[in-house]
């Protein structure tokens, strides 16, 4: 995403925020006439920002298309001491000198917007690593309050912190909290309501750097939301976003600034980015040594032991297999895709809803073509609503529940650490586990989250693998249900998909230029998921499903009905016959692949409907090809947006040919060996 794209996105976000402000003011017009102030939460990932956001707002609000992604912007409102606040939970960031897309977006919130209060949330156990960002925020003269979160866990780790002494040294308010229990929220509210901006901690850099900072500051003439000193330091660190911002505001004056920058940079053998960060880290280390004591007794409980087991390959792999077996296979595959789907489809829709709708339509609509639009083979009710509610909804809902539990427990970052070494072999880092897991929920949203990966090469590889070998939850659940009667067929499907994932990932890492990404991720504490949080997140995601995907099911039904009415659908099926014959599949499966192009879960539902007409081998081949088949229209459009038209078209063409090629090889091998499933 280029700088202009980010800026336009951010302007759109600010516009949405303004709309939210207006709505909130209207809602509270009878209670308070005060203007909404803006409170922004910043900090590293996995420090409890979202939990603190929930405690302050009393609700879980997700602004992005897919809740819980690492690039989502959460917004809510609260009242603190009579003041109305709009609260924004920004994406995770480690420094104002950004690397990832999430950091860039968070930085632009600070550069482009003007928060009334900035809460820098840090993990009290890892304060030394996180205070450099605090020092940068103080240098920027932003209205920052430092929040030492997870104080309960710091105490369990034998760490004692003198918050009042730290507050005195930094010159900013410091609050101690434990967001999981609500400890310290009252104190934090008091710090927010009584906040007054004043000069904070002052850092002195190398004389040459200080001289350059002063000269650049004197040249800056535009109006900015951060201090000229902070801008000067970011310019010296060659931050592209700040360079673009200053160029835009300074005009011809930027030439003098650029000359001064080049002159200063030439005087140092090492990058100034490195030197400045080392100075910030040294100051942070000194502060921590003065205000904290880590000689207390460390309490290693069951959770810490379990956490260590999750990232140790010897114990972590069995734990992962148990999660996959019980979470995805048994709960999503067997229970949701089997028992729940059977009950809803056969008992509710088959016995009650469908006969009722058919009777009403045939008696009230005299035209056969319009009748088929609602209750025909591809009708809005018989295909769209039935598939969306009776087949897909139970599976998606079950996956959202499992994902929310894993997310709240802190397991996903540990899974990322566990798989990092393996992912390096296919050109990815452990960080890519987030889009891969999200891909099991929805490939479109997972493709959007690839923007958080470090390099262009890694983003391309992740996008290709998501399009090729990561089935969405509904598709996965239906495939589990279809193949559940034959354990050998199910295991063959798992092996084939996994092998293709590894082979294509490895080949892409060798073909695409670039180096392997680095990997750094904070490990949040392992927790027992709170039922209220899990249910709230699951509910929010189900609302997203109905808002974003349910209309697509209806639209696709109408489109396919139109193709059938005009005879185009028969032509497409006829054109597919030679390909299907080559991989040993009957003509009935053509509909499955056509539906799969519009939506992957639609195709899976189509396979579910015709499973009785296929042999075991044909079911396996169909399931493999359908999994590897081209991504659905929505995911393909996101691929174009994120990777560009040429790259997306090349990936789509490759996946289409490759899926049927694998199906041909699989059918040939099974037929030659005389395998019966």
């Amino acid at each position: 995403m280029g700088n202009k794209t980010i800026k336009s996105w951010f302007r759109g976000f600010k516009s949405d925020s303004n709309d939210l402000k207006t709505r909130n003011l209207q809602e509270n017009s009878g209670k308070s006439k005060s203007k909404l102030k803006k409170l922004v939460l910043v900090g590293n990932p996995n420090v409890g920002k979202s939990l603190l956001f929930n405690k302050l707002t009393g609700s879980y609000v997700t602004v992005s298309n897919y809740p819980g992604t690492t690039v989502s912007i959460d917004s809510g409102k609260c009242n603190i001491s009579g003041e109305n606040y709009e609260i924004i939970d920004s994406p995770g960031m480690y420094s104002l000198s950004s690397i990832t897309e999430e950091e860039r977006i968070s930085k632009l919130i600070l550069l482009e917007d003007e928060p009334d209060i900035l809460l820098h949330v840090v993990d009290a156990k890892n304060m030394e690593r996180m205070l450099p960002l605090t020092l940068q925020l103080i240098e920027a003269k932003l209205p920052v309050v430092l929040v030492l979160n997870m104080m309960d866990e710091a105490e369990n780790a034998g760490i004692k912190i003198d918050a009042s002494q730290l507050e005195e040294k930094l010159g900013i308010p410091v609050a101690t909290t434990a967001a999981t229990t609500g400890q310290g929220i009252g104190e934090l509210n008091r710090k927010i309501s009584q906040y007054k901006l004043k000069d904070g901690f002052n850092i002195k850099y190398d004389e040459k750097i200080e001289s350059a900072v002063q000269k650049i500051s004197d040249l800056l003439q535009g109006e900015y939301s951060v201090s000229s000193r902070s801008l000067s330091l970011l310019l010296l660190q060659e931050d592209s976003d700040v360079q673009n911002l200053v160029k835009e505001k300074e005009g011809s004056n930027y030439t003098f600034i650029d000359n001064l920058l080049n002159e200063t940079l030439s005087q140092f053998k090492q990058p100034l980015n490195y030197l400045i960060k080392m100075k910030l880290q040294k100051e942070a280390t000194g502060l921590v040594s003065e205000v904290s004591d880590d000689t207390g007794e460390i309490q290693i409980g069951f959770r810490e032991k379990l956490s260590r087991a999750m990232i140790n390959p010897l114990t972590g792999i069995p734990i992962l297999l148990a999660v996959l077996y019980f979470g995805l296979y048994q709960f999503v595959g067997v229970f949701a895709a089997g028992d729940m789907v059977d009950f809803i489809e056969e008992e509710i829709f088959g016995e009650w809803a469908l006969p009722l709708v058919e009777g009403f339509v045939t008696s009230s609509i005299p035209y056969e073509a319009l009748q088929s639009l609602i209750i025909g083979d591809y009708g809005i009710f018989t295909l769209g609503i039935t598939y969306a509610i009776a087949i897909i909804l139970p599976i998606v809902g079950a996956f959202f529940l499992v994902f929310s539990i894993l997310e709240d427990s802190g397991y996903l970052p540990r899974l990322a650490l566990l798989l990092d070494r393996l992912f390096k072999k296919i050109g990815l880092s452990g960080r890519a586990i987030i889009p891969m897991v999200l891909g099991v929920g929805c490939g479109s949203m997972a493709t959007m989250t690839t923007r958080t990966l470090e390099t262009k090469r890694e983003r391309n590889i992740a996008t290709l693998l998501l399009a090729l070998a990561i089935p969405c939850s509904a598709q996965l659940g239906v495939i589990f249900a279809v193949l559940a009667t034959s354990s050998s067929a199910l295991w063959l499907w798992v092996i084939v998909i996994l092998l293709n994932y590894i082979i294509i990932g490895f080949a892409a890492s060798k073909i695409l230029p670039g180096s392997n990404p680095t990997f750094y991720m904070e490990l949040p504490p392992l927790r027992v998921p709170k039922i209220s949080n899990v249910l709230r997140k699951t509910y929010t995601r189900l609302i997203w499903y109905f808002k974003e995907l349910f209309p697509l099911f209806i639209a696709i039904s109408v489109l396919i009905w139109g193709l059938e009415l005009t005879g185009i659908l028969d032509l497409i099926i006829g054109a597919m016959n030679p390909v299907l014959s080559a991989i040993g599949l009957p003509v009935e499966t053509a509909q499955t692949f056509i539906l799969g192009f519009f939506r992957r879960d639609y195709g899976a539902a189509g396979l579910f409907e015709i499973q009785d007409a296929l042999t075991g081998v044909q079911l396996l081949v169909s399931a493999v090809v359908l999994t590897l088949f081209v991504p659905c229209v929505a995911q393909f459009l996101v691929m174009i947006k994120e990777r560009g038209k040429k790259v997306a078209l090349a990936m789509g063409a490759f996946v289409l040919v490759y899926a049927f090629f694998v199906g041909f090889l699989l059918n040939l091998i099974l037929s030659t060996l005389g395998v019966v499933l």
Side-chain angles (χ1 to χ4, degrees):
M1 184 186 291
N3 186 61
K4 289 183 178 178
T5 307
I6 294 177
K7 284 189 176 182
S8 64
W9 177 90
F10 184 72
R11 281 193 293 269
F13 172 71
K14 288 203 291 183
S15 175
D16 291 341
S17 297
N18 289 333
D19 290 342
L20 178 61
K21 285 182 183 179
T22 302
R23 290 196 301 272
N24 289 342
L25 284 172
Q26 289 172 346
E27 291 169 6
N28 290 282
S29 60
K31 301 176 182 179
S32 174
K33 299 294 184 180
S34 61
K35 180 183 177 182
L36 270 178
K37 290 187 174 182
K38 183 164 290 186
L39 188 154
V40 178
L41 279 73
V42 298
N44 294 22
N46 302 318
V47 295
K49 286 194 295 98
S50 296
L51 275 172
L52 187 59
F53 172 85
N54 292 340
K55 290 292 181 184
L56 291 172
T57 61
S59 62
Y60 185 89
V61 182
T62 303
V63 177
S64 67
N65 288 328
Y66 194 86
T69 68
T70 54
V71 291
S72 67
I73 301 289
D74 298 343
S75 180
K77 63 178 182 178
C78 72
N79 186 286
I80 299 174
S81 300
E83 290 281 0
N84 290 321
Y85 287 88
E86 177 193 8
I87 303 182
I88 297 170
D89 184 9
S90 65
M93 67 186 305
Y94 296 96
S95 168
L96 286 183
S97 181
S98 56
I99 297 175
T100 67
E101 202 68 24
E102 334 168 72
E103 290 184 291
R104 297 182 70 198
I105 292 172
S106 293
K107 178 177 60 181
L108 284 173
I109 291 176
L110 304 180
L111 293 177
E112 299 283 342
D113 214 358
E114 296 182 2
D116 294 285
I117 296 288
L118 198 63
L119 297 186
H120 181 209
V121 186
V122 305
D123 177 358
K125 304 189 304 298
N126 298 298
M127 190 167 58
E128 185 175 339
R129 259 202 327 269
M130 301 180 185
L131 275 186
L133 177 56
T134 311
L135 299 178
Q136 284 186 303
L137 297 172
I138 293 172
E139 280 184 323
K141 294 195 181 300
L142 288 164
V144 60
V145 174
L146 179 61
V147 183
L148 301 180
N149 195 29
M150 305 183 186
M151 282 297 294
D152 52 341
E153 293 164 16
E155 291 169 2
N156 290 337
I159 300 172
K160 297 179 181 179
I161 300 171
D162 188 337
S164 59
Q165 187 183 5
L166 181 60
E167 180 172 287
E168 183 181 341
K169 288 185 174 294
L170 289 176
I172 61 171
V174 176
T176 58
T177 61
T180 51
T181 61
Q183 173 189 330
I185 300 299
E187 178 201 3
L188 175 59
N189 287 341
R190 182 176 60 80
K191 300 276 186 182
I192 293 171
S193 64
Q194 296 177 359
Y195 183 83
K196 290 182 181 179
L197 184 63
K198 58 182 179 179
D199 290 336
F201 191 82
N202 202 10
I203 300 175
K204 293 293 182 184
Y205 297 94
D206 178 279
E207 287 185 9
K208 293 178 182 177
I209 296 177
E210 285 292 344
S211 175
V213 166
Q214 186 59 53
K215 291 177 182 178
I216 295 170
S217 298
D218 291 341
L219 287 172
L220 291 172
Q221 298 175 359
E223 292 186 7
Y224 302 93
S225 60
V226 298
S227 70
S228 57
R229 177 178 177 81
S230 178
L231 285 173
S232 302
L233 286 165
L234 289 170
L235 286 170
L236 287 170
Q237 294 175 77
E238 301 179 89
D239 186 286
S240 59
D241 293 310
V242 173
Q243 287 175 345
N244 291 330
L245 177 66
V246 175
K247 276 181 187 177
E248 180 182 328
K249 294 208 173 189
E250 298 296 330
S252 59
N253 186 46
Y254 184 77
T255 304
F256 301 105
I257 297 173
D258 192 44
N259 291 335
L260 183 55
L261 287 172
N262 292 328
E263 179 186 334
T264 305
L265 292 171
S266 65
Q267 297 177 33
F268 293 87
K269 293 182 180 180
Q270 293 175 304
L272 285 184
N273 188 32
Y274 170 77
L275 295 176
I276 291 172
K277 284 186 176 180
M278 289 301 294
K279 178 62 175 176
L280 287 167
Q281 188 59 63
K282 182 179 179 181
E283 294 289 343
T285 301
L287 282 167
V288 171
S289 66
E290 292 179 37
V291 303
S292 68
D293 177 12
D294 59 0
T295 58
E297 183 181 350
I298 300 175
Q299 301 176 17
I300 301 179
F302 171 75
R303 292 183 190 180
E304 180 60 27
K305 292 177 181 178
L306 180 59
S307 174
R308 295 177 184 182
M310 287 177 172
I311 59 179
N312 186 324
L314 292 178
T315 50
I317 297 299
I319 291 173
L320 172 60
L321 293 177
V323 169
L324 293 175
Y325 178 77
F326 290 105
L328 290 184
Y329 177 66
Q330 286 292 344
F331 187 68
V332 177
V334 176
F335 174 67
D339 299 338
M340 287 183 67
V341 168
D342 286 346
F343 173 75
I344 296 173
E345 186 185 27
E346 294 175 10
E347 299 296 327
I348 297 179
F349 275 75
E351 297 290 333
W352 178 73
L354 187 56
L356 187 65
V357 173
E358 285 180 342
F360 174 77
V361 170
T362 52
S363 63
S364 2
I365 301 177
Y367 306 104
E368 188 176 341
L370 290 179
Q371 289 178 0
S372 66
L373 173 61
I374 300 173
I375 57 172
D377 290 339
Y378 304 104
I380 290 174
F381 188 86
T382 49
L383 183 68
I385 295 177
T386 301
Y387 276 25
I389 295 179
I391 298 178
I392 306 303
L393 179 61
I395 301 169
V396 170
F399 172 78
F400 285 160
L401 184 63
V402 171
F403 184 79
S404 296
I405 292 172
L406 295 178
E407 184 182 39
D408 248 35
S409 68
Y411 177 65
L412 293 180
R414 288 162 176 79
L415 180 59
L417 194 60
L418 174 69
L419 297 180
D420 179 59
R421 184 173 296 181
L422 176 62
F423 272 28
K424 287 289 200 305
K425 302 293 183 184
I426 56 175
L428 301 174
S429 71
R431 188 182 181 88
I433 195 65
I434 303 299
M436 295 303 159
V437 173
L438 287 176
V440 180
C442 176
S444 304
M445 297 305 106
T447 303
M448 289 179 65
T449 66
T450 59
R451 68 178 65 164
T452 66
L453 301 180
E454 187 178 342
T455 65
K456 180 180 178 181
R457 175 174 178 260
E458 189 180 11
R459 292 191 287 271
N460 283 334
I461 294 173
T463 301
L464 175 60
L465 292 176
L466 283 168
L468 178 71
I470 302 295
C472 68
S473 56
Q475 188 183 45
L476 181 65
V478 172
I479 288 173
F480 279 165
V482 168
L483 301 180
T485 54
S486 172
S487 59
S488 55
L490 183 59
W491 276 110
L492 279 172
W493 176 83
V494 171
I495 292 169
V496 170
I497 299 303
L498 189 58
L499 278 175
N500 280 283
Y501 181 90
I502 295 171
I503 290 169
I504 297 302
F506 182 78
S509 70
K510 298 300 179 184
I511 295 171
L512 296 179
S515 58
N516 279 341
T518 57
F519 176 62
Y520 177 83
M521 178 176 281
E522 292 287 344
L523 278 183
L526 202 62
R527 300 188 179 97
V528 176
K530 284 194 172 183
I531 295 177
S532 58
N533 284 346
V534 170
L535 293 179
R536 188 184 297 118
K537 291 180 179 182
T538 303
Y539 170 76
T540 304
R541 287 164 177 154
L542 287 175
I543 294 299
W544 165 81
Y545 170 80
F546 276 105
K547 285 183 178 179
E548 301 294 330
L549 298 187
F550 188 74
L552 286 177
F553 283 91
I554 306 302
I556 291 168
S557 298
V558 175
L559 177 60
I560 298 177
W561 168 80
L563 294 176
E564 182 193 33
L565 201 64
T566 56
I568 297 175
L569 184 62
D570 291 334
L571 293 176
I572 296 173
I573 293 174
M576 292 183 66
N577 278 342
V579 178
L580 296 175
S581 298
I583 60 176
L585 296 180
V587 67
E588 288 84 0
T589 56
Q591 173 185 312
T592 295
F593 296 116
I594 293 170
L595 292 174
F597 172 70
F598 291 107
R599 278 211 58 81
R600 281 183 166 188
D601 36 18
Y602 236 37
L607 180 62
F608 184 84
E609 290 293 308
I610 64 168
Q611 60 179 309
D612 294 335
L614 304 178
T615 65
V617 170
Q618 288 175 333
L619 272 176
L620 174 61
V621 173
S622 298
V624 167
V625 176
L626 187 62
T627 305
L628 300 176
F629 194 55
V630 289
C632 65
V633 173
Q635 185 174 348
F636 187 68
L637 291 175
V638 174
M639 287 169 62
I640 293 175
K641 179 182 177 182
E642 296 293 325
R643 304 285 87 88
K645 188 180 294 185
K646 289 183 179 179
V647 173
L649 287 172
M651 287 183 181
F654 168 76
V655 169
L656 175 62
V657 174
Y658 185 79
F660 284 106
F661 173 71
V662 171
F664 172 77
L665 283 182
L666 180 61
N667 181 65
L668 180 64
I669 293 170
L670 295 177
S671 300
T672 303
L673 296 176
V675 175
V676 177
L677 298 172

